[in-house]
């Protein structure tokens, strides 16, 4: 007997039962070691999850893919690494630790141990490590709960020594190419984190819709009376940094007299939007180039820092300049067509300034306080108190007007503080510098490498190329931060320094070069503060040099993992350094998968950049990108909106099988709406249907006392070995051989399914594979089983046909459990183990139909097509019955069906037509008045039909009452029925399991 199947199974509980079993009895380990001697490699490279918080359900989407394909390739017999990764270093962790400790500034961190900044930093860094360790454990448990099989004891951590030193290796190679440089530029800056935000980190989702008070500012032209340039800015805090006003040399500008008599220059096209009708007349209109060279005054000219720049650069100060459209396009839809240009406080401004050799006025400190040489502004915060500027300008009477302006403004991706722009010394990797050794620039090389990758969806390549073609140099330094890669740059700067710099490429090299501090560093990870104990000697001038105070851009950490994390048994020295030949077996990775938005600039970019520098090869062959998960209401998931789902809660309410199925069946290119309602649909429409098929099989096989051959243990004598490809068995792996058309059909369908799922999964389309499986399960339930009900239990005496039915369904279910196991491993395990008694579906092999000689089902396409047409005819027939209003229970002599079906009805075999007749409960069918089946009409009297209908109705009534009395399928009853059915007494007794039948007016069941 098979273990009985519950009709109200608690699926999340079932999942937990299996989890416990898998990890207790080492199934996970056996799964990972199953193909360890295989010569076939499947290399999946994990994009590390940030170990900073518990998982949300959105993480489960990608992690389902990360488990699905390894499971599939494990079934196919490929050797794999099964390595998960955690991203550890960077601002995200720092910010959370700061929050926990209630710290607000850099000073707070450096005073964690009062008065001892080194001990403070050591403590802070340790707390960051602890946080990573804590959440990596939580995420590991959550991933296990998802059914994700990986080598959880040997996940990689980007904070590991191996990872950090491999980045050093990379940076050294960049240095050797001549691609590392120190730039002095205007960079986006977070005043709270007090650090630069690289262009890579400025994601569209980090722009906030903000309202700022924008100002139209009057700038009096030197030497002209009552004549002003009118400029517009949304960032008034930058006005003291103003150096120039930029115009377009070809645009038309008009001098407009306002009612009060003052004259203003604005772009002609913007007169209406600036003045409305509130002006007297247009005095003249000229081309922008005629304004170039005009000088003007500003209200901040007395501030010491401004004064100084003015005195040092009288020619280039407060002048009208013409724009370079490639750097700063000028809008004619908003503003005034004259652009306030603050070289120190904007990226375009800075570039334009560089092009024209304009001076700049640094105005803010790291925390956005105005600098000490900013006169009355000194010490006041530029972002927090914009009113200081506006009030001052109003007092000076140079504000033309102000209005509230709503725009998308970038915020810090980590702490959500509005960014500012600030000129800083930062370190970069040059994109357009030809290499010292070979000609190509990094940008050119990366574009070549990106094109070697298969991008899914295909638009991925264009998105990546778009970024690669337009991005600036890679800003790799982070000032004022603590928890991150120790950038191995040693600059010989300051007093007496020669100005050169070196990059150290390994721990060994550092040790060799160290002239002091090695003892203090030894035994510590290469992080602040201990790494900074080590000093080296400048090779050029002999000065003692310290490491740069900066840490690295966090995307360096995740970008190097194709080199740093591939190790024997996922432990110890990277194979890249130790055994490059074996490393090559895993590189490039066959497959990576991550959410698309954002990663073009980040992980994909970093992987490609770093691999291009290391080996000039793509780090992965194929990327499956997926979109964004939203709540079922179509809005982004937010705790405060009540549509966010925490992973554990989702897993316990939905069950992870259903969750995984939802992810698998979704088109990854589209955003996904996720929530409990949708989960319920999937559960009902697929999961429960599958479960009910399985339950049906177990229930009736038990009633009929049917067992698969090997359990009955007499396979020597029988010809129908009934099993899936269970390798532990020495018996031929063949499917049942029989004549029933339904069996033939479902076996053919199943074979087609397995081949198609395999093909789709090899093309990394989970969606197509799952939809095929759904269709198959629906066919299995609503056609194969439905049409086979009279072949089993008390409905049939044909022992051989019964056996064929069970053998067929058994074969299909066992193999189906293997096929679905990569998607929904829990229910697959439940079905598989109960049916086979074997250890685990996780240790199985993919069903193979390679050798037809083994008697495996062959595909019968013609039969599949016939059945498809037949089912369309049935549907048309059911519609017809509804139209004429006759229930399916009442037999009809002939049903006339009209249909637009153009398929060849004559190609359908008699056996299939007989199924149609039975399903429609008719004796004859006529289609479109021209086609008849059977050719020779079956004649039946009205009386006979009436009797047949009543008999059906009676049996149905008895079955319903049996059910409502709570009788089991094999409970026997005493029955009273109308005398009319005396002749059919034995038939009825058999069908409804009656011990004794008597006759009376009413139907009575006891
Ligand atoms: Zn920030
Ligand atoms: Zn030097």
């Amino acid at each position: 007997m098979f273990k009985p199947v519950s009709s109200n199974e608690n699926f999340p509980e079932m999942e937990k039962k299996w989890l416990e079993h898998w990890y207790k009895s080492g199934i996970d380990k056996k799964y990972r070691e199953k193909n360890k001697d295989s010569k076939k490699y499947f290399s999946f490279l994990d994009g590390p999850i940030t170990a900073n918080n518990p998982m949300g359900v959105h993480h489960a989407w990608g992690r389902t893919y990360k488990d699905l394909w390894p499971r599939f390739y494990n079934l196919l017999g490929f050797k794999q690494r099964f390595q998960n990764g955690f991203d550890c270093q960077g601002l995200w962790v720092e910010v959370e630790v700061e929050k926990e400790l209630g710290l607000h500034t850099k000073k707070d961190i450096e005073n964690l141990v009062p008065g001892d900044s080194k001990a403070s930093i050591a403590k802070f860094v340790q707390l960051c490590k602890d946080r990573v360790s804590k959440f990596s454990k939580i995420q590991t448990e959550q991933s296990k709960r998802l059914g994700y099989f990986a080598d959880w004891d040997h996940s990689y951590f980007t904070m590991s020594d191996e990872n950090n030193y491999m980045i050093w290796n990379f940076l050294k190679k960049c240095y050797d190419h001549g691609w590392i440089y120190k730039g002095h530029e205007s960079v986006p800056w977070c005043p709270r984190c007090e650090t630069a935000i690289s262009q890579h980190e400025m994601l569209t989702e980090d722009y906030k819709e903000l309202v700022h008070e924008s100002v139209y500012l009057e700038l009096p032209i030197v030497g002209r009376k009552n004549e002003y340039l009118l400029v517009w800015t949304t960032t008034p805090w930058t006005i003291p940094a103003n150096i120039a006003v930029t115009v377009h040399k070809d645009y038309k500008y008009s001098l407009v007299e306002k009612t009060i008599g003052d004259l203003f220059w604005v772009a002609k096209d913007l007169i209406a939007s600036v003045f409305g009708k509130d002006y007297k007349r247009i005095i003249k209109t000229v081309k922008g180039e005629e304004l170039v060279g005009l000088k003007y005054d500003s209200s901040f000219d007395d501030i010491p820092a401004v004064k100084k720049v003015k005195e040092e650069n009288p020619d280039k100060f407060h002048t009208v300049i013409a724009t370079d459209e490639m750097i700063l396009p000028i809008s004619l839809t908003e503003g005034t067509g004259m652009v306030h240009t603050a070289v120190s406080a904007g990226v375009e401004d800075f570039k334009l300034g560089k092009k024209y050799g304009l001076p700049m006025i640094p105005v803010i400190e790291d925390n956005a306080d105005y600098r000490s040489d900013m006169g009355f502004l000194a010490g006041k915060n530029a972002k927090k108190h914009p009113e200081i500027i506006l009030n001052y300008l109003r007092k000076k009477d140079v504000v033309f007007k102000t209005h509230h302006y709503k725009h998308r403004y970038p915020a810090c991706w980590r702490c959500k503080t509005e960014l500012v722009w600030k000129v800083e010394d930062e370190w970069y990797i040059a994109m357009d510098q030809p290499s010292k050794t070979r000609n190509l620039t990094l940008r050119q090389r990366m574009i070549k490498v990106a094109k070697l990758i298969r991008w899914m969806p295909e638009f991925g390549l264009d998105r990546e190329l778009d970024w690669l073609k337009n991005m600036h140099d890679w800003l790799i330094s982070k000032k004022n931060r603590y928890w991150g890669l120790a950038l191995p740059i040693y600059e010989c700067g300051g007093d007496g320094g020669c100005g050169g710099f070196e990059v150290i490429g390994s721990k060994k090299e550092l040790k060799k070069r160290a002239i002091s501090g090695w003892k203090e560093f030894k035994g510590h990870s290469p992080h602040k503060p201990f790494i900074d104990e080590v000093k080296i000697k400048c090779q050029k001038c002999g000065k003692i040099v310290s490491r740069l105070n900066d840490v690295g851009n966090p995307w360096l950490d995740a970008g190097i993992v194709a080199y740093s994390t591939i190790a024997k048994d996922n432990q110890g020295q990277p194979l890249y350094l130790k055994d490059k030949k074996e490393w090559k077996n895993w590189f490039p990775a066959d497959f990576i998968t991550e959410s698309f938005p954002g990663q073009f600039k980040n992980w994909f970019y970093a992987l490609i950049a770093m691999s291009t520098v290391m080996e000039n090869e793509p780090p992965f062959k194929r990327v499956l990108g997926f979109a964004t998960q939203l709540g079922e209401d179509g809005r982004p998931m937010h705790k405060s909106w009540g549509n966010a789902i925490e992973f554990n809660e989702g897993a316990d309410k939905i069950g992870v099988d259903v969750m995984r199925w939802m992810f698998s069946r979704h088109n990854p290119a589209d955003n996904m709406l996720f929530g409990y309602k949708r989960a319920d649909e999937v559960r009902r429409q697929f999961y429960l249907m599958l479960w009910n098929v399985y339950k049906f099989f177990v229930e009736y096989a038990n009633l009929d006392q049917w067992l698969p051959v090997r359990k009955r243990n007499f396979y020597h004598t029988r010809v129908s070995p009934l099993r899936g490809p269970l390798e532990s068995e020495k018996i031929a792996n063949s499917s049942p051989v029989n004549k029933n058309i339904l069996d033939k059909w479902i076996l053919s369908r199943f074979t087609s399914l397995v081949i198609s799922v395999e093909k789709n999964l090899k093309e990394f389309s989970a969606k197509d594979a799952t939809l095929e499986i759904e269709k198959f399960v629906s066919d299995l339930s609503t056609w194969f089983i439905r049409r086979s009900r009279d072949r089993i239990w008390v409905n049939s005496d044909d022992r051989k046909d019964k056996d064929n039915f069970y053998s067929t369904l058994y074969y299909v279910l066992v193999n189906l459990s293997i096929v679905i196991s990569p998607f929904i491993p829990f229910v697959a395990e439940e079905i598989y183990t109960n049916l086979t008694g074997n250890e685990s579906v996780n240790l199985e092999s993919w069903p193979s139909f390679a050798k037809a000689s083994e008697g495996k089902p062959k595909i019968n396409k013609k039969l599949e097509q016939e059945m498809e047409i037949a089912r369309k005819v049935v549907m048309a027939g059911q519609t017809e019955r509804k139209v004429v209003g006759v229930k399916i229970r009442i037999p009809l002599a002939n049903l006339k069906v009209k249909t637009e079906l153009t398929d060849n009805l004559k190609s359908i075999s008699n056996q299939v037509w007989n199924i149609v007749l039975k399903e429609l409960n008719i004796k004859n069918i006529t289609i479109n008045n021209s086609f008849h089946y059977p050719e020779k009409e079956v004649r039946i009297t009205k009386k006979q039909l009436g009797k047949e209908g009543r008999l059906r109705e009676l049996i149905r009534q008895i079955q319903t009452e049996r059910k409502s009395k709570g009788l089991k399928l094999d409970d026997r009853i005493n029955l009273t029925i109308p005398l009319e059915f005396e002749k059919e007494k034995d038939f009825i007794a058999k069908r409804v399991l009656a011990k004794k039948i008597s006759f009376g007016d009413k139907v009575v069941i006891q």
Side-chain angles (χ1 to χ4, degrees), residues 692-715:
N692 286 332
V693 169
Y694 160 63
K695 178 173 172 288
F696 178 92
F697 171 82
V698 168
E699 196 162 31
Y700 284 96
N702 283 347
L703 284 171
D704 271 328
Q705 298 185 329
W706 183 90
L707 281 177
V709 171
R710 67 195 181 90
K711 283 199 179 171
R712 279 187 276 172
N713 201 23
F714 55 99
Y715 27 75

Short mmCIF file of all heavy atoms in Angstrom, two decimals, residues 692-715:
data_model
loop_
_atom_site.label_atom_id
_atom_site.label_comp_id
_atom_site.label_asym_id
_atom_site.label_seq_id
_atom_site.Cartn_x
_atom_site.Cartn_y
_atom_site.Cartn_z
N ASN A 692 -4.22 16.65 -6.45
CA ASN A 692 -5.41 15.82 -6.55
C ASN A 692 -5.22 14.64 -7.50
O ASN A 692 -5.79 13.57 -7.29
CB ASN A 692 -6.62 16.66 -6.95
CG ASN A 692 -7.08 17.51 -5.77
OD1 ASN A 692 -6.89 17.12 -4.61
ND2 ASN A 692 -7.67 18.66 -6.05
N VAL A 693 -4.43 14.83 -8.54
CA VAL A 693 -4.11 13.71 -9.43
C VAL A 693 -3.35 12.65 -8.64
O VAL A 693 -3.67 11.46 -8.68
CB VAL A 693 -3.26 14.18 -10.64
CG1 VAL A 693 -2.72 12.98 -11.40
CG2 VAL A 693 -4.09 15.08 -11.55
N TYR A 694 -2.37 13.13 -7.90
CA TYR A 694 -1.56 12.22 -7.08
C TYR A 694 -2.42 11.50 -6.04
O TYR A 694 -2.34 10.29 -5.86
CB TYR A 694 -0.44 13.04 -6.44
CG TYR A 694 0.21 12.44 -5.22
CD1 TYR A 694 0.91 11.23 -5.31
CD2 TYR A 694 0.16 13.10 -3.99
CE1 TYR A 694 1.52 10.69 -4.18
CE2 TYR A 694 0.77 12.57 -2.87
CZ TYR A 694 1.45 11.37 -2.96
OH TYR A 694 2.05 10.83 -1.85
N LYS A 695 -3.29 12.27 -5.42
CA LYS A 695 -4.17 11.71 -4.39
C LYS A 695 -5.10 10.67 -5.01
O LYS A 695 -5.33 9.60 -4.45
CB LYS A 695 -4.98 12.85 -3.78
CG LYS A 695 -5.97 12.43 -2.73
CD LYS A 695 -6.58 13.67 -2.08
CE LYS A 695 -7.72 13.30 -1.15
NZ LYS A 695 -8.91 12.88 -1.87
N PHE A 696 -5.62 11.00 -6.18
CA PHE A 696 -6.51 10.07 -6.90
C PHE A 696 -5.79 8.74 -7.14
O PHE A 696 -6.32 7.67 -6.88
CB PHE A 696 -6.93 10.71 -8.22
CG PHE A 696 -7.80 9.83 -9.07
CD1 PHE A 696 -9.19 9.90 -8.96
CD2 PHE A 696 -7.26 8.92 -9.97
CE1 PHE A 696 -10.00 9.08 -9.74
CE2 PHE A 696 -8.06 8.09 -10.75
CZ PHE A 696 -9.44 8.17 -10.62
N PHE A 697 -4.58 8.87 -7.63
CA PHE A 697 -3.83 7.65 -7.93
C PHE A 697 -3.66 6.80 -6.67
O PHE A 697 -3.94 5.61 -6.66
CB PHE A 697 -2.45 7.99 -8.51
CG PHE A 697 -1.58 6.78 -8.62
CD1 PHE A 697 -1.71 5.92 -9.70
CD2 PHE A 697 -0.66 6.45 -7.63
CE1 PHE A 697 -0.94 4.76 -9.78
CE2 PHE A 697 0.11 5.31 -7.70
CZ PHE A 697 -0.03 4.47 -8.78
N VAL A 698 -3.18 7.42 -5.61
CA VAL A 698 -2.88 6.66 -4.39
C VAL A 698 -4.14 6.02 -3.82
O VAL A 698 -4.17 4.85 -3.44
CB VAL A 698 -2.19 7.56 -3.35
CG1 VAL A 698 -2.14 6.89 -1.99
CG2 VAL A 698 -0.79 7.93 -3.83
N GLU A 699 -5.21 6.80 -3.84
CA GLU A 699 -6.45 6.33 -3.25
C GLU A 699 -6.97 5.07 -3.98
O GLU A 699 -7.29 4.06 -3.37
CB GLU A 699 -7.48 7.45 -3.37
CG GLU A 699 -8.67 7.28 -2.49
CD GLU A 699 -9.41 8.60 -2.31
OE1 GLU A 699 -9.38 9.43 -3.24
OE2 GLU A 699 -10.00 8.79 -1.24
N TYR A 700 -7.02 5.15 -5.31
CA TYR A 700 -7.60 4.04 -6.06
C TYR A 700 -6.62 2.88 -6.22
O TYR A 700 -7.04 1.72 -6.23
CB TYR A 700 -8.15 4.52 -7.40
CG TYR A 700 -9.46 5.25 -7.19
CD1 TYR A 700 -9.50 6.63 -7.08
CD2 TYR A 700 -10.65 4.52 -7.01
CE1 TYR A 700 -10.70 7.30 -6.84
CE2 TYR A 700 -11.84 5.18 -6.77
CZ TYR A 700 -11.87 6.57 -6.69
OH TYR A 700 -13.04 7.20 -6.43
N ALA A 701 -5.36 3.19 -6.34
CA ALA A 701 -4.38 2.09 -6.41
C ALA A 701 -4.46 1.28 -5.12
O ALA A 701 -4.41 0.05 -5.14
CB ALA A 701 -2.98 2.64 -6.63
N ASN A 702 -4.63 1.98 -4.01
CA ASN A 702 -4.77 1.27 -2.74
C ASN A 702 -6.05 0.44 -2.71
O ASN A 702 -6.05 -0.71 -2.27
CB ASN A 702 -4.74 2.24 -1.56
CG ASN A 702 -3.32 2.72 -1.26
OD1 ASN A 702 -2.35 2.14 -1.76
ND2 ASN A 702 -3.21 3.76 -0.44
N LEU A 703 -7.15 1.03 -3.17
CA LEU A 703 -8.42 0.29 -3.18
C LEU A 703 -8.33 -0.94 -4.07
O LEU A 703 -8.82 -2.01 -3.73
CB LEU A 703 -9.54 1.21 -3.70
CG LEU A 703 -10.06 2.27 -2.73
CD1 LEU A 703 -11.00 3.21 -3.47
CD2 LEU A 703 -10.76 1.62 -1.54
N ASP A 704 -7.69 -0.77 -5.20
CA ASP A 704 -7.57 -1.89 -6.13
C ASP A 704 -6.39 -2.80 -5.78
O ASP A 704 -6.07 -3.72 -6.52
CB ASP A 704 -7.39 -1.36 -7.57
CG ASP A 704 -8.74 -1.16 -8.27
OD1 ASP A 704 -9.67 -1.94 -7.97
OD2 ASP A 704 -8.85 -0.25 -9.11
N GLN A 705 -5.74 -2.44 -4.70
CA GLN A 705 -4.58 -3.21 -4.24
C GLN A 705 -3.55 -3.38 -5.34
O GLN A 705 -2.97 -4.43 -5.53
CB GLN A 705 -5.03 -4.56 -3.69
CG GLN A 705 -5.94 -4.37 -2.51
CD GLN A 705 -6.32 -5.68 -1.86
OE1 GLN A 705 -6.41 -6.70 -2.53
NE2 GLN A 705 -6.52 -5.64 -0.56
N TRP A 706 -3.36 -2.28 -6.06
CA TRP A 706 -2.38 -2.31 -7.14
C TRP A 706 -1.03 -1.85 -6.60
O TRP A 706 -0.95 -0.88 -5.85
CB TRP A 706 -2.81 -1.39 -8.28
CG TRP A 706 -1.86 -1.44 -9.44
CD1 TRP A 706 -1.92 -2.29 -10.50
CD2 TRP A 706 -0.70 -0.63 -9.63
NE1 TRP A 706 -0.88 -2.06 -11.36
CE2 TRP A 706 -0.11 -1.05 -10.85
CE3 TRP A 706 -0.09 0.39 -8.90
CZ2 TRP A 706 1.06 -0.48 -11.35
CZ3 TRP A 706 1.07 0.96 -9.41
CH2 TRP A 706 1.64 0.52 -10.62
N LEU A 707 0.01 -2.53 -6.98
CA LEU A 707 1.35 -2.11 -6.59
C LEU A 707 2.25 -2.16 -7.81
O LEU A 707 2.05 -2.98 -8.70
CB LEU A 707 1.92 -3.06 -5.53
CG LEU A 707 1.42 -2.84 -4.11
CD1 LEU A 707 2.01 -3.90 -3.20
CD2 LEU A 707 1.83 -1.45 -3.61
N PRO A 708 3.23 -1.27 -7.85
CA PRO A 708 4.17 -1.36 -8.96
C PRO A 708 4.90 -2.69 -8.89
O PRO A 708 5.05 -3.27 -7.82
CB PRO A 708 5.11 -0.18 -8.74
CG PRO A 708 4.96 0.18 -7.32
CD PRO A 708 3.59 -0.21 -6.92
N VAL A 709 5.39 -3.10 -10.02
CA VAL A 709 5.96 -4.42 -10.14
C VAL A 709 7.00 -4.74 -9.09
O VAL A 709 6.96 -5.76 -8.44
CB VAL A 709 6.56 -4.58 -11.54
CG1 VAL A 709 7.35 -5.87 -11.63
CG2 VAL A 709 5.45 -4.56 -12.56
N ARG A 710 7.93 -3.83 -8.91
CA ARG A 710 9.03 -4.20 -8.03
C ARG A 710 8.60 -4.37 -6.59
O ARG A 710 9.20 -5.08 -5.82
CB ARG A 710 10.17 -3.20 -8.13
CG ARG A 710 9.82 -1.87 -7.62
CD ARG A 710 10.83 -0.85 -8.05
NE ARG A 710 10.44 0.39 -7.48
CZ ARG A 710 10.83 0.82 -6.30
NH1 ARG A 710 11.67 0.11 -5.59
NH2 ARG A 710 10.40 1.96 -5.83
N LYS A 711 7.49 -3.71 -6.24
CA LYS A 711 7.01 -3.91 -4.88
C LYS A 711 6.37 -5.28 -4.76
O LYS A 711 6.42 -5.91 -3.73
CB LYS A 711 6.02 -2.82 -4.50
CG LYS A 711 6.72 -1.52 -4.16
CD LYS A 711 5.81 -0.62 -3.38
CE LYS A 711 6.55 0.66 -3.02
NZ LYS A 711 5.63 1.63 -2.46
N ARG A 712 5.73 -5.73 -5.83
CA ARG A 712 5.09 -7.03 -5.78
C ARG A 712 6.12 -8.16 -5.93
O ARG A 712 5.86 -9.29 -5.64
CB ARG A 712 4.03 -7.14 -6.86
CG ARG A 712 2.73 -6.48 -6.45
CD ARG A 712 1.67 -6.74 -7.45
NE ARG A 712 1.77 -5.76 -8.53
CZ ARG A 712 1.06 -5.84 -9.64
NH1 ARG A 712 0.26 -6.86 -9.84
NH2 ARG A 712 1.18 -4.92 -10.55
N ASN A 713 7.26 -7.71 -6.46
CA ASN A 713 8.37 -8.64 -6.53
C ASN A 713 8.11 -9.87 -7.39
O ASN A 713 8.50 -10.97 -7.06
CB ASN A 713 8.77 -9.08 -5.11
CG ASN A 713 10.18 -9.61 -5.09
OD1 ASN A 713 10.96 -9.28 -5.98
ND2 ASN A 713 10.50 -10.42 -4.13
N PHE A 714 7.44 -9.68 -8.49
CA PHE A 714 7.40 -10.81 -9.41
C PHE A 714 7.64 -10.34 -10.84
O PHE A 714 6.98 -10.71 -11.77
CB PHE A 714 6.12 -11.65 -9.28
CG PHE A 714 4.83 -10.94 -9.42
CD1 PHE A 714 4.13 -10.96 -10.62
CD2 PHE A 714 4.27 -10.25 -8.34
CE1 PHE A 714 2.91 -10.32 -10.73
CE2 PHE A 714 3.05 -9.59 -8.46
CZ PHE A 714 2.37 -9.63 -9.65
N TYR A 715 8.64 -9.50 -10.96
CA TYR A 715 8.88 -8.97 -12.30
C TYR A 715 9.44 -9.97 -13.30
O TYR A 715 9.47 -9.71 -14.47
CB TYR A 715 9.73 -7.70 -12.30
CG TYR A 715 10.68 -7.53 -11.17
CD1 TYR A 715 11.86 -8.24 -11.07
CD2 TYR A 715 10.36 -6.59 -10.18
CE1 TYR A 715 12.72 -8.03 -10.01
CE2 TYR A 715 11.23 -6.40 -9.12
CZ TYR A 715 12.40 -7.11 -9.04
OH TYR A 715 13.24 -6.91 -8.01
#
